[in-house]
Amino acid sequence: MGAMKAAALALALCTTSVTAQQPSAPIQLDPKNPHYFLYNDKAIALITSGEHYGSVINPDFNFHKYLDTLLADGLNYTRLFPGSYVEVSGQSFGIKRNTIAPPGDRLLLPWARSTEPGYAGGGNKFDLTQWDPQYFERLHDFLGEAEKHGVIVELSLFSSQYGDAQWKVSPFNAANNINHTTEALDLKHVNTLENGNILALQERYVRKLVHEANAFPNVLFEIQNEPWSDHPQLESVINPYLFTGRDQYPNSVEVADSDSIAWQSRVAEWITTEEAQLPHRHLIAQGYSNFRLSVRTLIPGVSIVNFHYAYPEAVTLNYGLNKAIAYDETGFLGRSDDAYRRQAWNFMLAGGSTFDGLDYSFTVGFEDGADKEPNGPGGGSVAFRKQLGTLQKFMSGLPLADMHPDYSVVAHAEGVTAHALSSSGGVIATYLDGKSPSRPGSCRITLRLPAGDYRGQWLNVVTGEATPVTSLKSSGAETILDAPLFENGIALRLQRALY
């Protein structure tokens, strides 16, 4: 980069001021246990059921009420699409009341509107060389309020375009800006190095957002949401025994191809080189694949590996990376709370760092998440968030810096699937996924516990009610414990007495 270009870029980045107070250290991987995060001197896991990523670009969405709701439910995470990708209400994925699809003339993006009409979504076209101060004021307000509420924000800088409906309203589409971006560009090339003059505008956008977010300690950067969707490379399948549709979604496990990885690597460089000139360094996440897969290679600088619609095996297969493994988005299992609650407990008790439910009950006018009408290919409800709050309370009560997956402590769990964590200090945390028979004492769990006296509790993951385990003595051999009646999962925590 020449001196004149660097000076111009620096001037452009400083057109609005960062209003947040200077923080202490941003959220980071816990150096004692990098499978979790360190924030405000405490090891934490991230758990939420959050809105569909439009808190800032949709000015009609009351994010103050939204953040109040997350706080009240004991949740601490949200994702944010900051403007490079928008959707179309009712068309994109069948979402009827879509927070990242406000009416076009209400859409608030980082770029200022020009005086020229013709934006495909409504209103004037964008000028990609001019920033919109109103947008950055709202961004700062959101990040600052999220910090006060203890909510970590993942800024997903880019997303796949998926199809013509989204590309038609993209600010990078030549029809929607006055900057003569490359015309007749195939949407599959937007997030590659072969995207004409869009690449320089993408760099300017990334550096600006990184600059503006630098003072906030509660920020993570995701390079791109679901990069495999526009650039799929088949790596595996979930069920190899299917007769039809074996290599197709939802049975296919895909990663982004080499064209996408080259571009994502460039974006990661923009993040790191921009932050090298700034006071703080933030974590970078890479969207790796759907479902489950052993990671081959991560982009340099990545600390968080994001999976969508994830199986707990996504953690098991990649635990040795010593990175945070995240379940970054749920969906496509209908509206039942049970399905997503079970996913959350299985993933987190397998050693996951993050569970992010995509909650379609958050809409404009229902920022308390109380919209009960069908709204998309997923779930979300007041009851579900309370249940996730129970999971968050359970996780935050563990000594996470010392907790690791334990594949031997549960020797056998009758008729159910078990995931367990344990610590060197004698804390055992187990989740049993499934259903007990109808008669008490008929679901037994065989434990291999170090010798000692234990106390703890069974936890009803639906109601949050606890049943004490007041006296359990292990000689070091196998120990039998009868579970209370349960349906669709139950959790157990034990603590060895220290004398």
Side-chain angles (χ1 to χ4, degrees):
M1 180 183 293
M4 182 175 296
K5 182 179 178 182
L9 181 58
L11 179 63
L13 292 173
C14 295
T15 55
T16 63
S17 61
V18 176
T19 58
Q21 295 180 355
Q22 290 299 309
S24 55
I27 186 172
Q28 58 182 289
L29 298 187
D30 190 320
K32 296 179 181 178
N33 187 352
H35 305 95
Y36 299 106
F37 301 98
L38 184 67
Y39 187 62
N40 289 336
D41 299 319
K42 178 179 172 60
I44 65 169
L46 302 178
I47 298 173
T48 200
S49 184
E51 66 90 15
H52 192 211
Y53 320 145
S55 286
V56 172
I57 69 172
N58 191 332
D60 297 322
F61 186 79
N62 183 346
F63 64 70
H64 296 280
K65 188 174 183 180
Y66 167 63
L67 293 171
D68 287 344
T69 302
L70 294 186
L71 177 63
D73 290 336
L75 307 179
N76 65 346
Y77 187 59
T78 193
R79 295 182 80 200
L80 186 71
F81 281 12
S84 68
Y85 169 84
V86 295
E87 292 186 347
V88 181
S89 183
Q91 294 186 40
S92 300
F93 306 101
I95 305 170
K96 300 175 182 179
R97 297 174 299 286
N98 192 342
T99 52
I100 54 171
D105 59 349
R106 295 291 296 154
L107 178 64
L108 182 64
L109 297 186
W111 305 280
R113 298 274 186 162
S114 71
T115 58
E116 182 178 329
Y119 172 58
N124 289 351
K125 295 182 179 181
F126 292 94
D127 183 347
L128 303 182
T129 66
Q130 301 295 322
W131 304 120
D132 187 337
Q134 183 180 355
Y135 168 89
F136 288 100
E137 180 180 355
R138 184 172 171 87
L139 176 66
H140 296 156
D141 190 13
F142 177 76
L143 296 179
E145 285 299 303
E147 180 187 355
K148 293 176 185 176
H149 285 69
V151 173
I152 305 302
V153 181
E154 180 184 77
L155 281 172
S156 298
L157 295 169
F158 295 96
S159 176
S160 287
Q161 295 294 322
Y162 302 102
D164 290 336
Q166 290 76 236
W167 176 232
K168 184 178 179 180
V169 295
S170 169
F172 292 125
N173 189 315
N176 294 324
N177 61 69
I178 64 169
N179 308 104
H180 307 290
T181 53
T182 302
E183 294 189 27
L185 184 70
D186 188 311
L187 65 87
K188 302 292 186 182
H189 291 158
V190 175
N191 294 333
T192 72
L193 297 176
E194 305 302 322
N195 64 4
N197 59 2
I198 291 177
L199 189 66
L201 294 166
Q202 289 174 328
E203 178 180 2
R204 186 173 182 270
Y205 158 81
V206 168
R207 292 185 180 276
K208 175 66 172 175
L209 284 172
V210 169
H211 184 96
E212 296 290 337
N214 189 256
F216 296 92
N218 57 322
V219 167
L220 315 168
F221 293 112
E222 184 186 44
I223 299 169
Q224 183 185 354
N225 175 66
E226 297 186 346
W228 58 85
S229 291
D230 283 358
H231 289 268
Q233 178 177 297
L234 183 67
E235 285 285 294
S236 183
V237 296
I238 297 299
N239 183 355
Y241 297 103
L242 287 184
F243 293 110
T244 60
R246 180 182 181 276
D247 296 339
Q248 300 172 2
Y249 183 87
N251 198 53
S252 58
V253 181
E254 298 166 332
V255 298
D257 67 15
S258 59
D259 288 342
S260 172
I261 293 297
W263 176 85
Q264 289 185 70
S265 299
R266 184 72 61 86
V267 175
E269 289 177 8
W270 296 337
I271 298 170
T272 55
T273 56
E274 186 62 31
E275 285 205 320
Q277 309 171 59
L278 298 169
H280 303 289
R281 312 288 180 269
H282 292 80
L283 296 176
I284 299 175
Q286 178 181 347
Y288 197 79
S289 74
N290 280 335
F291 307 131
R292 64 189 183 209
L293 193 66
S294 177
V295 170
R296 291 184 183 274
T297 305
L298 289 176
I299 291 168
V302 164
S303 298
I304 305 168
V305 188
N306 284 348
F307 288 85
H308 283 194
Y309 324 123
Y311 288 73
E313 290 88 345
V315 182
T316 308
L317 291 168
N318 297 294
Y319 199 79
L321 292 174
N322 285 328
K323 308 283 187 182
I325 311 300
Y327 190 143
D328 194 48
E329 182 182 282
T330 63
F332 299 100
L333 289 180
R335 301 180 67 197
S336 167
D337 294 339
D338 287 347
Y340 302 108
R341 184 190 63 252
R342 293 171 70 181
Q343 286 186 335
W345 277 91
N346 277 310
F347 191 85
M348 297 307 294
L349 270 292
S353 73
T354 306
F355 180 83
D356 176 27
L358 178 48
D359 195 324
Y360 293 100
S361 70
F362 285 112
T363 59
V364 172
F366 291 94
E367 290 86 352
D368 59 353
D371 191 339
K372 297 180 180 179
E373 296 299 317
N375 187 38
S381 70
V382 173
F384 177 60
R385 287 190 299 278
K386 300 298 183 185
Q387 293 164 15
L388 284 189
T390 296
L391 171 58
Q392 177 62 277
K393 185 176 181 180
F394 183 89
M395 294 296 296
S396 64
L398 301 174
L400 289 179
D402 193 33
M403 299 296 291
H404 300 277
D406 191 328
Y407 305 111
S408 63
V409 68
V410 180
H412 183 66
E414 295 179 349
V416 296
T417 300
H419 290 100
L421 304 169
S422 68
S423 77
S424 59
V427 176
I428 310 294
T430 303
Y431 173 67
L432 307 181
D433 184 55
K435 178 179 179 179
S436 68
S438 58
R439 60 190 187 281
S442 58
C443 182
R444 293 186 167 186
I445 176 172
T446 304
L447 301 171
R448 295 192 183 107
L449 299 171
D453 295 324
Y454 291 82
R455 291 188 177 185
Q457 62 182 20
W458 291 100
L459 182 67
N460 185 314
V461 296
V462 177
T463 67
E465 296 177 356
T467 302
V469 178
T470 56
S471 180
L472 178 67
K473 189 175 184 64
S474 171
S475 64
E478 291 185 350
T479 302
I480 304 296
L481 191 61
D482 291 327
L485 291 177
F486 65 92
E487 187 169 356
N488 292 334
I490 193 170
L492 170 68
R493 174 181 166 142
L494 295 173
Q495 168 72 65
R496 187 174 71 244
L498 302 177
Y499 297 105

